[in-house]
Amino acid sequence: MNPKLRSILFWIHLICGLIVGLVVGVMSFTGAAIAFESQIIDWADRDARHVTPPAEGAPKLTLEELLAKVKEAKPAVAPSGVTMYPGADTVVSVALGRGAAVYVNPYTGEVREPGAQGWRSFFNTMEDLHRWLAASGDNRAVGKAITGVANLAFLFLGLTGLFLWWPRKWNLRAMRPILWFRRGLKGKARDFNWHNVIGFWSLPVLVVLTTSGAVISYKWASNLVFTLTGNEPPAAQGPMAAAPVVVPTPTPGTQPQPLDAQFAAVMKQSNAWETITLRLATPPGAGAPGGRPEGAPRGEGGQRGEGAQRGEGGPRGEGGPRGERAARAEGAPQGEGGPRAEGGARGEGGPRAEGGARGEGGPRGEGRAEGRGGPKGPQASAFTVREQERWPLFASNTVSLDPYTAQSLKTETYADFNSGRKVRTWLRFLHTGEALGWMGQLIAALASFGAVFLVYTGYSLSWRRFVPRRKTQAVAPPAPVAPPAETNTNAA
């Protein structure tokens, strides 16, 4: 490489690293911390999701009765989603608005809070730091902007670092010090060795994490994915929203089918399902699906997380006990927003908001009956089905039913996505490593943790460059001066 070009790249790399290093360090550390959030929450919450059936063959309460119990226990927020699990000893999960969920005993109607509150609080803190540096209120936009820019800068640092690392000679002697750790090094030599080795081995993963983070954080980057694949970018940020499903107008006085009947219809057409989630558009009994739950803040009628996958705009797993794998579908990924791990950044617009955007198939049903882009009239009941045998691992099916007849109107699977939406969804889950299962999560976590050391060694090397240590030399004591030798003279 031309020495002048190398010098220019070096100083740009160094200054850019000094400016964004602290933010990158925070995002990298928190990304590693939340890499296995789902598995940890599943493990910590395992007892809360199970019940003891009162007797063999004991009948369960209807879903309408269970929802009534939830509304009685939690009158402030209307239910926004229902998730069912297979097995006679499992609870029913009910999402409350956008940020809470409860478990309900299907036999007694007992409403219980999800467990693992300590873990949930920890992951919430880590995600808030990862996505917008723990800013709140109106300051979140500022925090999101900072993490977005830092993510792009980190991508730039990785690419320029590769050029600076490029050896002048490709032989074992020249390559060994920059490909593996060396023992016995201290100070600058040690930091230089660590910076090169960690940067080299983690670079491919960090490029994927930061590139996918940019796609999640910026609409122009997300649109570029669709453009490059020859597809029309969606109007809203995040995966392309499905077209509203038209429901035949029922005869006057026709009442919607019971929720149990609608779930039964979906179960009948699903193969070995793991979870089934219904996004509630209006409280049961309030008329045709399609409005905002009464008493729920605008935009909070959807269950983010379960069924709408941890949308990129809301906390992971919101809308369903956190960590429930069934809840996250590919249409609305988990959080993202910086070199992460999001999941997620476990929102679009700052990690994790796909699926939370209005009209994107989010929890409030497909299309809104409020005259804001969604068709007026009866709305389809939108179910998200996660089957046990699936590929990709994040895939789920969306089933739209006629709520008045429980007849299937449309089933959309991952295979039905256009190429742009497929790539966009893969990027979402590559960002957290979940696209490749626990092994992918481990690789993403290790790369994110390695990035913390890149920040540390980068600052350490910069400090030594700008604030060099003064070498103190011990002052030798003055050598004793020997008295002049006496000369023998003859006295006159």
Side-chain angles (χ1 to χ4, degrees):
M1 180 186 296
N2 184 289
K4 289 186 177 180
L5 176 60
R6 183 183 180 88
S7 178
I8 293 172
L9 283 179
F10 169 78
W11 283 105
I12 295 175
H13 182 93
L14 186 149
I15 295 171
C16 182
L18 289 175
I19 294 173
V20 303
L22 290 178
V23 177
V24 169
V26 170
M27 296 172 70
S28 299
F29 177 80
T30 54
I34 59 181
F36 287 96
E37 174 186 356
S38 297
Q39 288 88 343
I40 293 173
I41 292 295
D42 281 344
W43 172 80
D45 210 21
R46 61 194 182 282
D47 294 333
R49 293 197 306 268
H50 291 85
V51 299
T52 302
E56 185 176 352
K60 295 183 178 181
L61 299 177
T62 66
L63 288 176
E64 282 80 5
E65 291 173 324
L66 296 181
L67 290 173
K69 294 284 188 181
V70 172
K71 292 174 68 176
E72 180 181 344
K74 303 284 185 178
V77 186
S80 58
V82 178
T83 297
M84 295 189 68
Y85 310 90
D89 64 340
T90 56
V91 297
V92 173
S93 174
V94 178
L96 300 175
R98 233 178 185 177
V102 292
Y103 292 132
V104 188
N105 187 318
Y107 301 97
T108 65
E110 172 199 2
V111 177
R112 63 175 72 164
E113 299 290 339
Q117 294 301 321
W119 280 110
R120 282 182 163 82
S121 177
F122 169 76
F123 286 124
N124 272 328
T125 300
M126 292 295 101
E127 288 166 4
D128 285 347
L129 282 168
H130 184 80
R131 296 171 59 192
W132 36 58
L133 302 179
S136 59
D138 294 338
N139 293 327
R140 281 193 170 183
V142 178
K144 172 192 161 185
I146 293 174
T147 56
V149 170
N151 177 64
L152 286 176
F154 194 30
L155 174 60
F156 171 79
L157 289 171
L159 297 178
T160 55
L162 177 62
F163 282 101
L164 295 173
W165 168 92
W166 205 262
R168 292 184 176 88
K169 295 182 179 180
W170 287 85
N171 55 53
L172 182 60
R173 184 176 181 180
M175 296 288 292
R176 185 176 179 182
I178 54 179
L179 287 181
W180 200 246
F181 300 102
R182 299 173 62 189
R183 295 182 180 180
L185 298 180
K186 294 182 179 180
K188 180 180 179 180
R190 179 201 60 200
D191 293 340
F192 185 80
N193 176 244
W194 285 12
H195 199 77
N196 279 277
V197 173
I198 295 173
F200 174 78
W201 292 108
S202 62
L203 179 62
V205 181
L206 292 176
V207 167
V208 172
L209 296 182
T210 51
T211 301
S212 58
V215 169
I216 293 166
S217 297
Y218 295 102
K219 182 174 175 59
W220 60 264
S222 180
N223 289 346
L224 183 61
V225 172
F226 289 90
T227 301
L228 292 177
T229 54
N231 296 278
E232 183 70 21
Q237 188 170 359
M240 184 176 295
V245 177
V246 178
V247 176
T249 303
T251 58
T254 303
Q255 294 297 316
Q257 292 287 312
L259 296 181
D260 292 277
Q262 296 186 46
F263 268 94
V266 175
M267 294 175 190
K268 188 176 180 180
Q269 72 174 74
S270 303
N271 299 319
W273 57 278
E274 196 174 87
T275 61
I276 299 179
T277 298
L278 169 64
R279 314 164 202 166
L280 298 176
T282 56
R292 183 172 74 257
E294 185 178 343
R298 188 174 295 280
E300 291 192 13
Q303 155 188 19
R304 272 164 92 187
E306 290 198 310
Q309 308 184 22
R310 224 185 351 185
E312 288 173 5
R316 262 191 192 179
E318 280 184 335
R322 235 173 175 191
E324 293 181 11
R325 317 283 300 178
R328 298 201 310 255
E330 67 280 25
Q334 167 183 8
E336 305 146 22
R340 166 191 184 172
E342 287 29 97
R346 263 262 202 141
E348 249 239 284
R352 291 197 310 259
E354 305 174 28
R358 285 182 189 165
E360 269 194 72
R364 289 169 58 185
E366 297 181 26
R368 299 179 50 188
E370 295 183 24
R372 294 192 181 184
K376 295 181 180 180
Q379 302 296 293
S381 295
F383 291 82
T384 299
V385 182
R386 202 169 179 86
E387 297 179 340
Q388 296 177 8
E389 298 294 332
R390 58 185 180 272
W391 181 257
L393 298 176
F394 50 77
S396 64
N397 303 333
T398 300
V399 179
S400 299
L401 290 187
D402 183 334
Y404 299 96
T405 64
Q407 296 296 313
S408 177
L409 300 174
K410 179 183 178 182
T411 298
E412 184 181 42
T413 66
Y414 173 81
D416 297 320
F417 290 178
N418 61 37
S419 56
R421 188 173 178 184
K422 286 181 178 178
V423 173
R424 176 63 179 78
T425 305
W426 267 98
L427 287 173
R428 158 61 197 87
F429 288 100
L430 282 173
H431 186 72
T432 59
E434 292 173 296
L436 303 177
W438 69 267
M439 182 59 72
Q441 291 172 266
L442 177 61
I443 293 173
L446 290 175
S448 297
F449 193 64
V452 176
F453 282 90
L454 290 178
V455 172
Y456 164 73
T457 54
Y459 274 121
S460 180
L461 290 169
S462 299
W463 176 264
R464 288 189 174 91
R465 173 173 289 273
F466 293 114
V467 189
R469 291 184 179 180
R470 293 183 179 179
K471 295 182 180 180
T472 57
Q473 297 181 349
V475 179
V481 179
E486 294 184 3
T487 58
N488 294 324
T489 58
N490 295 324

